[in-house]
Amino acid sequence: NAGVTQTPKFQVLKTGQSMTLQCAQDMNHNSMYWYRQDPGMGLRLIYYSASEGTTDKGEVPNGYNVSRLNKREFSLRLESAAPSQTSVYFCASTPTLQGFEAFFGQGTRLTVV
Amino acid sequence: GENVEQHPSTLSVQEGDSAVIKCTYSDSASNYFPWYKQELGKRPQLIIDIRSNVGEKKDQRIAVTLNKTAKHFSLHITETQPEDSAVYFCAAGETSYGKLTFGQGTILTVHP
């Protein structure tokens, strides 16, 4: 049982490049989330998907897009990376909207130069 | 939307002392308040949570209290140990809506 798996673990991008962060969970959870973590700012929600087929903006969605490919997978795309998007990105999932313990992936450390 | 403030940002204690971290939230609709521990380079992991119909919850050396009227909740760690050193995050959310808002984090250092 792998839980929540993110790829890649590390990535360096040049300004303007695009990339997709992948996330998959094998716990049959309904809801999935993308957070970014910056020093002194906690975990800020980028986008979330309450269930397969739905996505909603979180606190800091600008510059990002998401796709809930199926119940297991939730990807985050940076279309044109900017240095301000340098951060650690965490994917998370919760069982249902009524079951709220969030399980996190191991994180992706992204640097945009 | 929800806003969660967490204090202090850093906390240094001696082994065996108690540590208290406090959070306030703004949205009276929030009814779920978890605490996460994040060790250096690792993912956040849930250590304890409380729902709004409960005022206090305890799990061994860890306890959480909730004051819904004042909109604040606190994490209490007793008999601290060096392995308690980590970043601790509080969060608040409304269970039917599916979002958690996190505080800014507290770096706890326990000195042997």
Side-chain angles (χ1 to χ4, degrees), chain A residues 18-37:
Chain A
S18 61
M19 78 162 295
T20 300
L21 281 65
Q22 306 287 351
C23 176
Q25 52 89 11
D26 61 3
M27 297 175 285
N28 201 34
H29 286 176
N30 287 328
S31 302
M32 298 185 73
Y33 310 82
W34 277 105
Y35 288 91
R36 61 176 289 173
Q37 183 175 28

Side-chain angles (χ1 to χ4, degrees), chain A residues 7-25:
Chain A
T7 55
K9 292 184 180 179
F10 302 94
Q11 184 70 49
V12 178
L13 289 179
K14 294 182 178 179
T15 297
Q17 287 185 318
S18 61
M19 78 162 295
T20 300
L21 281 65
Q22 306 287 351
C23 176
Q25 52 89 11

Side-chain angles (χ1 to χ4, degrees), chain A residues 36-45 59-60, chain B residues 89 102-105:
Chain A
R36 61 176 289 173
Q37 183 175 28
D38 303 293
M41 301 191 75
L43 291 147
R44 292 183 294 169
L45 183 64
E59 181 184 355
V60 288
Chain B
F89 292 98
F102 283 83
Q104 297 85 348

Side-chain angles (χ1 to χ4, degrees), chain A residues 33 35 37 48 97 102 104-105, chain B residues 36 38 43 89 95 98-99:
Chain A
Y33 310 82
Y35 288 91
Q37 183 175 28
Y48 69 105
L97 291 179
F104 285 84
Chain B
Y36 286 82
Q38 185 179 29
R43 72 191 77 187
F89 292 98
T95 52
K99 290 197 304 183

